């Protein structure tokens, strides 16, 4: 799958595309409905399907001091879009120049990129000061010979609309089950395995340490997790996410321990799925108490994961 960088010319074979427009952070069921509509439309007309996303997220641009809130990285989104059937991901760099475009200038940009049709969610806004609505988009597109469709929000049976905000709120309370249901897959943190202080190895529970980067911070605590390795292997484990209160100095990390696994993962990019929240972080009096609790956490995680199907 191709990644089209912001401002770069669109290759000839990708012009005349149907483009799904949105940020799509998380790529939850609502986002999937928008992208599916674009892909179906593109296939019906024999056109390429492109999914556009923005980086940084507009909220990060307008509120640079906001706490981390991302649900996916660009690499994760690209993989998810490819799995959905898109031909390319278009990256729009959300900077001062982009934020200052009027609604008309934004549509002209799409024309210049050779876009034939666009699909958005009903709540999509665009243009300087978010002045453009989906109705305005349809009007502007029609004026330049481009088609536009807007997809209604996706709701659950109880009527609650699926949104990234609901997923973030669930993760902040450790509610992995709700996040998984809304995403259609477990929330996953991807990162490069880094060297740590190797305390886990000395007590019989080696960990693969990941920096949390720009990801949303789920509830600190112990989780049942699954690790996805670059070679396709899937590992069950238990992880501490937080600041490790039993050790000094505090350091915010995701530290998964994978069961029955002794290979080195240093400098490999792995993905860790958050399956179930087990308990909050706690400080223990001595290593014996800590090791006993870790052993119990691992037993609990094994039991949970044995009855949990794999979701990519």
């Amino acid at each position: 799958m191709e990644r089209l960088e912001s401002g770069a010319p669109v290759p000839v074979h990708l012009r005349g595309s149907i483009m799904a427009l949105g940020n799509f952070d998380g790529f939850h069921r609502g986002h999937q409905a928008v992208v599916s509509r674009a892909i179906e439309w593109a296939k019906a007309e024999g056109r390429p399907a492109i999914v556009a996303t923005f980086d940084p997220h507009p909220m990060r641009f307008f509120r640079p001091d906001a706490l981390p809130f991302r649900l996916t990285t660009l690499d994760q989104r690209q993989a998810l879009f490819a799995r959905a059937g898109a031909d390319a991901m278009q990256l729009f760099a959300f900077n001062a120049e982009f934020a200052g475009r009027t609604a008309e200038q934004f549509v002209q940009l799409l024309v210049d990129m050779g876009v034939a049709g666009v699909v958005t969610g009903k709540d999509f806004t665009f243009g300087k000061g978010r002045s453009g609505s989906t109705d305005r988009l349809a009007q502007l597109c029609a004026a330049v010979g481009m088609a536009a469709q807007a997809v209604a929000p996706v709701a659950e049976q109880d009527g609650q609309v699926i949104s990234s905000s609901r997923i973030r709120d669930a993760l902040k309370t450790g509610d992995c089950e709700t996040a998984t249901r809304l995403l259609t897959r477990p929330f996953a943190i991807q990162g490069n395995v880094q060297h740590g202080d190797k305390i886990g190895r000395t007590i019989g529970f080696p960990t693969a340490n990941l920096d949390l980067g720009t990801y949303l911070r789920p509830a600190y605590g112990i989780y049942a997790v699954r690790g996805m390795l670059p070679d396709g292997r899937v590992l069950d484990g238990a992880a501490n996410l937080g600041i490790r209160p039993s050790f000094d100095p505090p350091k915010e990390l995701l530290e998964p321990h994978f069961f029955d696994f002794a290979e080195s993962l240093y400098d490999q990019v792995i993905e860790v799925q958050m399956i179930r929240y087990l308990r909050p972080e706690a400080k223990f009096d001595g290593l014996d108490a800590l090791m006993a609790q870790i052993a119990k956490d691992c037993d609990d995680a094994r039991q949970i994961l044995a009855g949990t199907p794999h979701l990519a």
Side-chain angles (χ1 to χ4, degrees), residues 4-8 90-95 98:
L4 308 179
E5 298 296 334
S6 190
Q90 172 66 56
L91 179 62
F92 287 121
F94 201 93
N95 50 29
F98 193 90

Side-chain angles (χ1 to χ4, degrees), residues 232-286:
R233 282 182 292 171
V234 179
L235 306 176
D236 286 353
N240 185 85
L241 189 155
I243 57 172
R244 311 180 309 163
S246 293
F247 302 103
D248 287 321
K251 185 177 182 182
E252 189 183 56
L253 287 170
L254 173 62
E255 299 175 292
H257 164 69
F258 297 123
F259 307 142
D260 311 313
F261 182 81
E263 299 172 33
S264 172
L265 293 173
Y266 291 129
D267 301 321
Q268 294 188 50
V269 175
I270 68 170
E271 189 169 85
V272 180
Q273 296 181 337
M274 315 303 288
I275 305 298
R276 182 82 61 84
Y277 183 73
L278 301 180
R279 64 171 177 85
E281 278 195 306
K283 188 168 185 176
F284 295 90
D285 295 326

Side-chain angles (χ1 to χ4, degrees), residues 37-309:
R37 175 77 63 84
I39 292 171
E40 289 167 4
W41 181 4
K43 285 182 177 177
E45 297 191 1
R47 298 180 179 277
I50 298 177
V51 183
T53 189
F54 304 95
D55 192 67
H57 192 290
M59 187 167 83
R60 174 62 63 197
F61 175 80
F62 290 113
R63 293 177 52 198
D65 58 343
L67 293 174
F69 59 86
R70 277 295 199 186
L71 296 173
T72 53
T73 62
L74 283 176
D75 287 345
Q76 284 176 308
R77 262 171 278 160
Q78 183 170 346
L80 290 166
F81 299 159
R83 197 176 304 161
D87 297 297
M89 177 174 79
Q90 172 66 56
L91 179 62
F92 287 121
F94 201 93
N95 50 29
E97 179 185 359
F98 193 90
R101 288 179 184 270
T102 64
E104 292 80 3
Q105 288 172 329
F106 178 71
V107 171
Q108 185 58 50
L109 171 64
L110 299 179
V111 172
D112 295 341
M113 295 170 65
V115 176
V118 294
V119 181
T120 67
K122 284 278 190 185
D123 58 354
F124 180 73
T125 58
F126 66 105
K128 186 176 181 180
R130 301 173 68 182
S131 59
S133 64
T134 51
D135 288 341
R136 181 63 175 148
L137 180 62
Q139 293 170 355
L140 292 172
C141 286
V144 295
M146 189 189 308
Q149 296 183 18
V151 177
V154 175
E156 296 191 278
Q157 288 186 343
D158 61 4
Q160 288 194 77
V161 171
I162 294 170
S163 68
S164 296
S165 296
R166 280 186 64 196
I167 295 164
R168 293 186 184 105
D169 289 344
L171 290 168
K172 287 176 184 176
T173 64
D175 185 358
C176 296
E177 293 88 343
T178 293
T180 297
R181 187 180 74 249
L182 302 182
L183 289 167
T184 70
R185 66 189 187 281
F187 169 67
I189 292 173
Q190 187 181 77
N192 195 62
V193 178
Q194 57 187 243
H195 289 270
D197 50 27
K198 299 179 174 59
I199 292 175
R201 180 181 299 175
T202 65
I203 61 175
F205 298 97
T207 59
N209 301 332
L210 302 181
D211 186 89
L212 295 175
T214 61
Y215 283 105
L216 171 91
R217 272 43 174 179
Y220 280 179
I222 311 304
Y223 289 81
V225 300
R226 281 204 170 101
M228 322 297 283
L229 303 192
D231 61 11
R233 282 182 292 171
V234 179
L235 306 176
D236 286 353
N240 185 85
L241 189 155
I243 57 172
R244 311 180 309 163
S246 293
F247 302 103
D248 287 321
K251 185 177 182 182
E252 189 183 56
L253 287 170
L254 173 62
E255 299 175 292
H257 164 69
F258 297 123
F259 307 142
D260 311 313
F261 182 81
E263 299 172 33
S264 172
L265 293 173
Y266 291 129
D267 301 321
Q268 294 188 50
V269 175
I270 68 170
E271 189 169 85
V272 180
Q273 296 181 337
M274 315 303 288
I275 305 298
R276 182 82 61 84
Y277 183 73
L278 301 180
R279 64 171 177 85
E281 278 195 306
K283 188 168 185 176
F284 295 90
D285 295 326
L287 284 180
D288 288 343
L290 173 62
M291 290 167 62
Q293 183 61 57
I294 293 175
K296 181 182 184 305
D297 294 335
C298 289
D299 287 342
D300 291 344
R302 282 182 189 271
Q303 217 168 13
I304 289 165
L305 294 167
T308 304

